[in-house]
Amino acid sequence: LSCEDHGRVYVGTAEGQVLVFSCEEGFPVTRWINNPDDVSAVTCLSCGKEDEAPLLVVGTQEGAVHLYTLGQCRNAGSINIARLLFEGEAIAQGAALRHVRLFPIPAGPKLPLTLLTVDTASRLRLWGVNIHEKSGKLDELKLLMDGGQLREIDCIPLASRPAPRKKNAKDSKAVKEKEAKAADAAAGAA
């Protein structure tokens, strides 16, 4: 994930780390970010703007979202969606996150940010988020919408959908003629 506004490039790893590269010559690594409580693979990243939503959002294979402040890359909080919403084996239920996006759109009076999550089962959710001004920690979280599963037809871009099969008039006519001859032959034999 490239964030030109911050002069950084963020890369998630299969070990649950996020590597932070500087955009300077040679792209040196400036930081490693990881959550010691969740070492599952990073599956998606999103970065807010410094003046609107100064957070790095990290989605994991275990179905958790980790929030980090952009300035110091400190942990601002975690949302373990798999634990909050699922019972039993969350991975088998498709809880691994495939897409996260943070919007600076107020979700309510005390929820200045909106977080979108989409998991491997195509379940779309919107969350209202508030980060405490002074501590920089997750202060309030509210599930606004649990959209359920997206239909498969809606998930396929139009350009990659197969074109509807057209009926060929000649083939249809020829098939009908063969069927009629077969019926006549069967009737004549009887």
Side-chain angles (χ1 to χ4, degrees), residues 45-118:
L45 297 165
S46 179
C47 187
K49 293 187 177 184
E50 191 75 44
D51 56 338
E52 296 174 341
L55 294 172
L56 172 66
V57 183
V58 179
T60 70
Q61 189 166 359
E62 296 291 327
V65 173
H66 303 295
L67 305 169
Y68 298 94
T69 60
L70 285 177
Q72 297 81 22
C73 296
R74 286 190 347 223
N75 188 345
S78 295
I79 307 163
N80 194 329
I81 298 170
R83 247 188 245 145
L84 285 173
L85 300 178
F86 298 111
E87 294 179 11
E89 186 62 36
I91 297 296
Q93 297 175 15
L97 294 177
R98 289 294 170 237
H99 187 77
V100 292
R101 180 71 77 156
L102 187 66
F103 300 100
I105 299 171
K110 293 184 179 181
L111 301 168
L113 302 172
T114 301
L115 176 68
L116 165 74
T117 62
V118 181

Side-chain angles (χ1 to χ4, degrees), residues 18 43 52 54 62 82 89 98 100 131 138 153 163 166:
V18 176
T43 55
E52 296 174 341
E62 296 291 327
E89 186 62 36
R98 289 294 170 237
V100 292
I131 302 296
L138 181 63
I153 192 78
K166 294 181 182 179

Side-chain angles (χ1 to χ4, degrees), residues 133-174:
E133 252 181 74
K134 294 182 181 177
S135 70
K137 298 287 183 181
L138 181 63
D139 189 37
E140 192 171 342
L141 174 72
K142 182 178 182 182
L143 178 61
L144 304 171
M145 183 191 80
D146 189 351
Q149 199 166 10
L150 297 173
R151 298 180 314 163
E152 184 178 339
I153 192 78
D154 296 331
C155 299
I156 302 171
L158 287 175
S160 64
R161 288 185 188 169
R165 206 174 115 193
K166 294 181 182 179
K167 292 183 180 179
N168 191 338
K170 291 180 183 178
D171 292 340
S172 298
K173 193 174 187 180

